[in-house]
Amino acid sequence: AQSVSQHNHHVILSEAASLELGCNYSYGGTVNLFWYVQYPGQHLQLLLKYFSGDPLVKGIKGFEAEFIKSKFSFNLRKPSVQWSDTAEYFCAVNAWRDDKIIFGKGTRLHILP
Amino acid sequence: ETGVTQSPTHLIKTRGQQVTLRCSSQSGHNTVSWYQQALGQGPQFIFQYYREEENGRGNFPPRFSGLQFPNYSSELNVNALELDDSALYLCASSLLAGEDEQYFGPGTRLTVT
């Protein structure tokens, strides 16, 4: 069965620090990968996605993620965080052409001004 | 805003009762997925509907059922409510099943006492 593991449950950073949130998945076949973000009081929204092609994908608000197939990883990065990045971040995977998306447990990111 | 709406926003029910949650998808989206998000967890896939037919199901018992209507609205029904059913219920709509970005609604917070 597919599963997603997010390494950090709670991360606290100062503004301008660099960010990397870890995500590993377990599934042997072709996958689609996602990072979703939930800002306080708002809907879950897509930050970025990988379906195929360049394993380095860029998303909104300066975020990027790198798919490393050999490591089953899809880590999220941002070179310089802002206070407005305070949110909960979810990594998710679905097997190619499968119906269900499997989410990780989420990482709460708190940026200190 | 994703164009996906859910009602009601909050709901309190008693154990053993039945509940119906409603979702209105983005116009033109043929696929709707329902998720349960318990406190401190990521969303868990309940099931997906594509063109009014169930298209995939997660690890939830049959007392969780759904309907999708031609007007892009859908319902999640839960019978014989249990305390553990207390959670945020999210619906998400997409254009194609399994291959497309999902747009999430704000969720319905269900409390079972």
Side-chain angles (χ1 to χ4, degrees):
Chain A
Q2 302 162 51
S3 67
V4 177
S5 175
Q6 291 185 240
H7 311 309
N8 313 98
H9 297 298
H10 199 179
V11 173
I12 301 173
L13 294 172
S14 298
E15 273 193 310
S18 65
L19 170 72
E20 181 159 2
L21 301 182
C23 172
N24 285 92
Y25 67 93
S26 67
Y27 182 73
T30 302
V31 293
N32 299 321
L33 295 157
F34 309 83
W35 276 96
Y36 281 86
V37 61
Q38 189 165 29
Y39 297 103
Q42 295 189 26
H43 306 186
L44 261 176
Q45 59 183 281
L46 184 70
L47 203 54
L48 48 79
K49 62 186 177 185
Y50 172 81
F51 280 9
S52 64
D54 188 345
L56 184 62
V57 292
K58 296 192 184 300
I60 60 172
K61 303 188 180 186
F63 286 90
E64 65 179 31
E66 185 176 13
F67 171 47
I68 303 180
K69 191 174 181 181
S70 61
K71 294 185 178 180
F72 300 91
S73 70
F74 190 56
N75 291 353
L76 180 71
R77 299 194 292 246
K78 185 171 183 179
S80 176
V81 294
Q82 301 171 306
W83 178 77
S84 58
D85 293 326
T86 294
E88 189 156 18
Y89 293 80
F90 294 94
C91 181
V93 61
N94 82 309
W96 189 63
R97 289 192 174 269
D98 194 0
D99 314 305
K100 56 183 180 286
I101 294 183
I102 307 299
F103 282 81
K105 291 187 176 181
T107 296
R108 286 190 180 274
L109 175 64
H110 186 73
I111 306 298
L112 302 173
Chain B
E1 287 298 325
T2 61
V4 179
T5 59
Q6 291 185 245
S7 62
T9 307
H10 296 92
L11 201 51
I12 300 174
K13 288 286 191 177
T14 303
R15 190 171 47 183
Q17 286 187 314
Q18 178 267 341
V19 69
T20 297
L21 310 182
R22 293 181 172 82
C23 172
S24 180
S25 300
Q26 276 199 28
S27 180
H29 281 187
N30 294 316
T31 305
V32 65
S33 303
W34 284 90
Y35 295 84
Q36 180 195 68
Q37 187 176 12
L39 211 56
Q41 303 292 318
Q44 281 196 67
F45 177 79
I46 303 174
F47 45 57
Q48 184 181 84
Y49 278 78
Y50 175 66
R51 293 187 174 175
E52 301 160 51
E53 298 281 336
E54 188 177 294
N55 191 43
R57 191 175 184 93
N59 191 25
F60 281 80
R63 59 189 186 84
F64 285 78
S65 63
L67 285 171
Q68 185 186 27
F69 304 101
N71 65 350
Y72 306 113
S73 67
S74 60
E75 289 179 357
L76 164 65
N77 297 291
V78 187
N79 293 324
L81 284 166
E82 300 177 1
L83 297 179
D84 284 349
D85 295 333
S86 295
L88 181 68
Y89 288 85
L90 300 166
C91 78
S93 74
S94 57
L95 200 53
L96 296 171
E99 290 187 39
D100 196 20
E101 173 183 349
Q102 297 192 354
Y103 294 83
F104 283 83
T108 293
R109 173 74 61 188
L110 172 65
T111 302
V112 182
T113 62

